[in-house]
Amino acid sequence: MSVRKNQASLSAAEKAAFVNAILELKRTGVYDRFVTTHNGFVMNDTDTSDRVAHRSPSFLPWHRRFLLQFEAALQQVDASVMIPYWDWTADRTAASSLWAPDFLGGNGRARDGQVMDGPFAFAGGKFTINVRVDGRNYLRRTLGVEAAALPTRAEMETVLAMPLYDAAPWNSSSDGFRNHMEGWRGVNLHNRVHVWVGGQMTSGASPNDPVFWMHHAFVDKLWAEWRSRHPASPYLPASGTTNVVDLKDTMRPWNDVTPADMLDHRPFYSFDTDPVPAGRR
């Protein structure tokens, strides 16, 4: 079983493999296709229209499938690569290991947010931003400027304790775990992390920053943990709901996968914190 690991525990070789696979997808144009897909869904997902990837119950299963598809693309380059997760409740500052020059590179410079070091810096010539929300073609970050602090472990625990998955009106005003995790209500987990990173992470083209994948891998991990804590709490809504993806409805753009297919991560991968099955001890 392939294992998604905490980025803080990766070896130098594992970091290099992840970075090199991303750069190869960028070189071939595959990476930008993922950015385009995500940006299109952000622009079209609204509270009052058909919504699939954001502001809706399928936010979590949609992004699980999106990460699986990206992970498969990485593995076409290097079969050993898994998406690591960034535990932003623990690695909470611009000095954390993921922002090192040998991994994601650091903060952007003060005058324009341009990332100047690491493998994804524009000056390196391998990571031009092509799917743009403005005229700038370089990776930008403003760590800790637009949001003062990342979510804490205590804040995360308040969301994990919520027993209800989602509720009407099934959008950014809903109560329940999904919307509090997504960040439109309450302590604001997922959305706040995007804003804390800044730059392209505050736009629909957020996958332009490779930290997107590590952030969403942790959100995915938290969903898995929530399900283990609340095994009797189903995905909602079940059926017959306008403008959202019910349990057994297919999700665009794939049209061959439903939220029901994505509820359990274990057929696809494990996390380094998952319990070890008895037969493997």
Side-chain angles (χ1 to χ4, degrees):
M1 173 66 71
S2 299
V3 180
R4 289 187 182 169
K5 299 178 181 179
N6 188 325
Q7 63 81 28
S9 70
L10 295 182
S11 68
E14 288 171 325
K15 290 179 182 180
F18 181 63
V19 166
N20 290 337
I22 287 177
L23 291 175
E24 178 60 14
L25 294 185
K26 184 69 169 175
R27 186 190 68 81
T28 60
V30 172
Y31 193 96
D32 288 343
R33 292 202 286 271
F34 283 92
V35 182
T36 298
T37 295
H38 188 270
N39 189 50
F41 276 87
V42 169
M43 299 303 293
N44 288 308
D45 290 331
T46 72
D47 277 346
T48 57
S49 65
D50 181 42
R51 50 198 180 274
V52 180
H54 306 88
R55 299 171 178 264
S56 65
S58 51
F59 166 73
L60 291 163
W62 189 94
H63 281 86
R64 177 166 284 175
R65 176 60 183 265
F66 192 52
L67 263 66
L68 280 166
Q69 190 178 35
F70 182 70
E71 199 163 57
L74 293 172
Q75 290 167 357
Q76 289 294 308
V77 178
D78 184 337
S80 73
V81 172
M82 297 291 293
I83 300 172
Y85 63 86
W86 167 31
D87 180 351
W88 24 256
T89 70
D91 295 308
R92 301 176 46 75
T93 75
S96 296
S97 59
L98 75 160
W99 307 117
D102 69 340
F103 201 15
L104 298 188
N107 200 7
R109 63 187 178 186
R111 74 170 185 264
D112 59 5
Q114 183 176 169
V115 172
M116 301 302 293
D117 67 345
F120 308 113
F122 179 75
K126 296 182 178 180
F127 206 78
T128 300
I129 300 302
N130 299 311
V131 184
R132 304 173 194 166
V133 295
D134 55 34
R136 292 171 284 188
N137 62 355
Y138 48 83
L139 180 61
R140 292 180 289 112
R141 295 183 185 129
T142 55
L143 304 182
V145 172
E146 297 179 59
L150 291 164
T152 65
R153 188 163 298 278
E155 289 172 328
M156 180 189 76
E157 286 294 333
T158 67
V159 176
L160 290 174
M162 295 178 174
L164 181 69
Y165 179 77
D166 210 341
W170 318 108
N171 59 21
S172 69
S173 65
S174 300
D175 206 7
F177 167 75
R178 185 276 309 169
N179 201 31
H180 285 259
M181 174 59 68
E182 191 172 353
W184 300 110
R185 291 194 64 180
V187 296
N188 185 354
L189 298 185
H190 157 267
N191 287 348
R192 195 195 330 171
V193 177
H194 277 269
V195 175
W196 185 90
V197 174
Q200 281 92 357
M201 276 283 280
T202 63
S203 74
S206 51
N208 272 316
D209 193 329
V211 79
F212 170 93
W213 308 103
M214 295 163 60
H215 167 38
H216 271 275
F218 188 56
V219 171
D220 186 75
K221 182 178 185 295
L222 294 179
W223 181 31
E225 185 169 341
W226 179 85
R227 291 194 70 247
S228 72
R229 294 191 189 190
H230 306 279
S233 296
Y235 175 94
L236 296 171
S239 62
T241 314
T242 303
N243 285 337
V244 300
V245 182
D246 294 321
L247 177 64
K248 295 187 178 180
D249 289 346
T250 57
M251 294 186 289
R252 292 185 286 109
W254 309 287
N255 299 319
D256 64 355
V257 62
T258 70
D261 298 327
M262 291 289 103
L263 295 182
D264 188 356
H265 70 284
R266 292 171 297 181
F268 309 104
Y269 51 85
S270 63
F271 292 104
D272 54 3
T273 56
D274 283 351
V276 178
R280 298 181 187 175
R281 291 175 184 166

